[in-house]
Amino acid sequence: MLGQRKTDPFFTALLDIALHVQQSMHYANDCKVESIADLQEVSTRMKAYETSGDTLIHELITKLNASFITPIEREDILEIAITMDDILDGIEHYFANLEMFSFIEIDEYMQTFIENIMKSTDEIVAAMELLTKKKLVEMRTHAVQIKEYERICDEVLRTSIKQLFLNEKDPIRIIQLKDLYELLEDIADYCQDVANNIETIIMRNA
């Protein structure tokens, strides 16, 4: 069991990464895309989030390389950090594709994906806050909720693709939309990866 001492800098770093990912997803959820100019602005902003996230990961790796002792296995610290960063990379890639396709219509399926991914990042932050307090067992509730949001996204993917092939006649648009839906489902899977890493940390240290 981890001792109840002051906040560990590695746990603080993981919380900082989680907060950064959460901020990017709230921006993705709240942004309004009504024109190509809006889309370019959002894509540029998401790229900035992604670049800043890479910096946070680099700083964590530097700290890991310089430290002889870590509060939990260094592989677990690195793995959960990288999977959180995967969420950020994924949402940046999604908006980059929107811009590449000049696609300003964010439909109800995309919005539902984004809302559930955003809620997952809220749960990730809550779990990382508990980690900084060394309340490992309490993190499990948030891991379970993240998996529920991923399950919802699975259903959205099946429904969206089914409706796409039923209703859309333009083959180019079918390809574009299918790619976008699958990108968003990949991001939900990254959130589930974080949940799995949370459970691994609990199992090994609680």
Side-chain angles (χ1 to χ4, degrees):
M1 183 71 180
L2 293 170
Q4 298 294 319
R5 293 182 290 180
K6 66 179 183 178
T7 302
D8 186 273
F10 289 104
F11 293 160
T12 300
L14 290 177
L15 177 57
D16 288 343
I17 293 167
L19 286 166
H20 185 67
V21 174
Q22 180 192 43
Q23 184 182 31
S24 74
M25 280 308 310
H26 276 263
Y27 173 75
N29 184 66
D30 295 341
C31 68
K32 302 301 180 186
V33 176
E34 298 175 350
S35 67
I36 296 299
D38 291 341
L39 192 53
Q40 290 172 340
E41 179 181 347
V42 172
S43 182
T44 298
R45 179 78 174 270
M46 294 310 303
K47 184 61 180 177
Y49 275 123
E50 189 264 343
T51 300
S52 297
D54 286 344
T55 299
L56 290 172
I57 296 295
H58 175 73
E59 290 172 353
L60 175 62
I61 291 172
T62 300
K63 191 177 299 183
L64 282 169
N65 288 336
S67 298
F68 182 69
I69 298 175
T70 56
I72 59 177
E73 292 291 334
R74 66 182 64 239
E75 292 82 3
D76 291 340
I77 294 171
L78 184 58
E79 185 66 23
I80 198 167
I82 288 173
T83 50
M84 286 193 287
D85 192 57
D86 286 342
I87 300 169
L88 190 52
D89 290 344
I91 197 64
E92 187 276 329
H93 187 44
Y94 163 75
F95 278 104
N97 275 26
L98 285 180
E99 184 183 12
M100 181 173 63
F101 298 153
S102 296
F103 210 105
I104 64 173
E105 300 171 29
I106 297 177
D107 64 25
E108 62 179 309
Y109 300 118
M110 296 181 203
Q111 193 59 48
T112 302
F113 274 120
I114 290 173
E115 287 172 1
N116 281 281
I117 294 165
M118 179 192 72
K119 290 176 183 177
S120 293
T121 65
D122 293 342
E123 297 295 329
I124 291 169
V125 167
M128 293 304 102
E129 287 174 341
L130 289 169
L131 183 61
T132 65
K133 299 172 185 176
K134 303 181 177 66
K135 296 181 178 181
L136 273 64
V137 174
E138 295 176 32
M139 294 166 64
R140 183 170 286 114
T141 299
H142 301 290
V144 170
Q145 188 58 57
I146 293 165
K147 292 185 177 185
E148 173 61 17
Y149 291 135
E150 193 278 334
R151 183 194 65 78
I152 293 169
C153 288
D154 276 344
E155 293 180 358
V156 174
L157 181 65
R158 286 192 292 270
T159 302
S160 62
I161 291 180
K162 179 181 178 180
Q163 293 303 312
L164 179 60
F165 282 100
L166 283 173
N167 300 313
E168 184 57 58
K169 306 305 180 187
D170 181 349
I172 300 300
R173 189 174 172 86
I174 288 174
I175 293 170
Q176 290 174 333
L177 281 166
K178 185 173 181 291
D179 283 351
L180 291 167
Y181 296 151
E182 290 176 344
L183 274 175
L184 290 166
E185 170 58 20
D186 285 344
I187 303 169
D189 287 343
Y190 299 147
C191 294
Q192 181 170 257
D193 290 341
V194 176
N196 290 336
N197 287 324
I198 288 170
E199 290 180 334
T200 296
I201 289 171
I202 295 169
M203 177 187 68
R204 290 179 176 172
N205 299 281

